[in-house]
Amino acid sequence: MHRVVAAVVLLIPASAVTIARLFMTDDSDTRKALDQIAADPSSQRVVVWLGFLAALTVVPAFLALARLARRRRPVLTTIALGVNLAAYLGGYAMFALDGLYLAGAGVPAQQRDGAAALIDATWSAGAAGLSTALFVIGHVLGAILMGLALRGSIPMIGWLAMILSQPGHVVAFVVFQNVVMDSLAWGLMAVCFAIAAITVLRTSDDEWDLPPRRVSTAFHAGTS
């Protein structure tokens, strides 16, 4: 039963963000973004609730990935898991600000200048800025490390999709500034999570509960 729960959780976070990215409003101009959200708040509600769902499940999902990867590469898996946990637990501002945009759009039009100023001030605040930087850097580095850790534990298309998703984010934001392309990058991560979920379901309970592989006694004898 616990493997089924792990498999279900694995399917949620990256898929939720993949969909949410398609509903996001261009926030390069905060005041304009608030007006656009106010005209049709349903899209931002989708972003907020899918973001909440992703935030709720992303840590358990990475713990499940780590459980798959740890038998072959326990040290790399531990490092990858630590980086990802720091990114997603420390990146609270990314999800909180989505809700702040929705709340700001809900105030009367004559008050939205103040709401926009508050959102901009929040973005530039020390804690929020650090949270955003931690999320961006940790998310990119952590995904690459986890992809490398998963080699041999899931089919190649899975761990390769995880690694390739990160250049996809960079191209989407730095080169094209296109949220659809960023959604596709998150979709690559979703592919990895889905393949991992299938692998978990195909893993026996005995194998799922096995500890990391130990270095063989022959290796110890040869190095003593």
Side-chain angles (χ1 to χ4, degrees):
M1 181 64 182
H2 55 291
R3 286 187 298 105
V4 175
V5 173
V8 171
V9 169
L10 281 164
L11 295 174
I12 297 173
S15 299
V17 179
T18 298
I19 298 170
R21 296 299 294 165
L22 297 175
F23 289 87
M24 291 194 73
T25 302
D26 180 7
D27 61 358
S28 56
D29 184 324
T30 304
R31 180 65 175 83
K32 183 178 179 181
L34 293 181
D35 288 338
Q36 291 176 339
I37 294 170
D40 181 18
S42 58
S43 293
Q44 189 65 16
R45 290 195 189 101
V46 171
V47 172
V48 169
W49 284 106
L50 286 178
F52 174 76
L53 189 60
L56 192 66
T57 56
V58 68
V59 170
F62 270 102
L63 288 172
L65 284 183
R67 190 157 186 169
L68 275 178
R70 65 175 182 155
R71 287 209 69 213
R72 291 179 178 272
R73 295 178 175 83
V75 176
L76 181 57
T77 299
T78 300
I79 296 171
L81 182 61
V83 172
N84 279 293
L85 292 186
Y88 290 103
L89 292 175
Y92 70 93
M94 301 294 292
F95 300 104
L97 283 164
D98 288 336
L100 196 55
Y101 274 93
L102 183 61
V107 303
Q110 62 271 22
Q111 298 179 19
R112 285 183 201 142
D113 284 339
L118 176 61
I119 292 172
D120 289 339
T122 303
W123 273 116
S124 60
L130 178 60
S131 174
T132 302
L134 186 62
F135 175 82
V136 173
I137 297 172
H139 161 62
V140 172
L141 180 60
I144 293 172
L145 290 175
M146 187 59 78
L148 293 174
L150 284 166
R151 286 176 300 154
S153 298
I154 64 174
M156 183 178 70
I157 189 174
W159 61 260
L160 194 58
M162 176 71 84
I163 293 173
L164 292 179
S165 67
Q166 301 316 298
H169 287 307
V170 175
V171 170
F173 274 116
V174 177
V175 180
F176 294 101
Q177 297 181 346
N178 188 299
V179 292
V180 175
M181 292 186 66
D182 190 57
S183 174
L184 292 175
W186 277 100
L188 284 174
M189 287 190 69
V191 168
C192 176
F193 279 108
I195 290 175
I198 294 171
T199 304
V200 168
L201 291 176
R202 291 178 174 175
T203 302
S204 67
D205 287 334
D206 291 339
E207 285 188 53
W208 180 248
D209 292 328
L210 285 175
R213 291 178 179 174
R214 296 180 178 179
V215 180
S216 68
T217 54
F219 176 82
H220 285 301
T223 54
S224 60

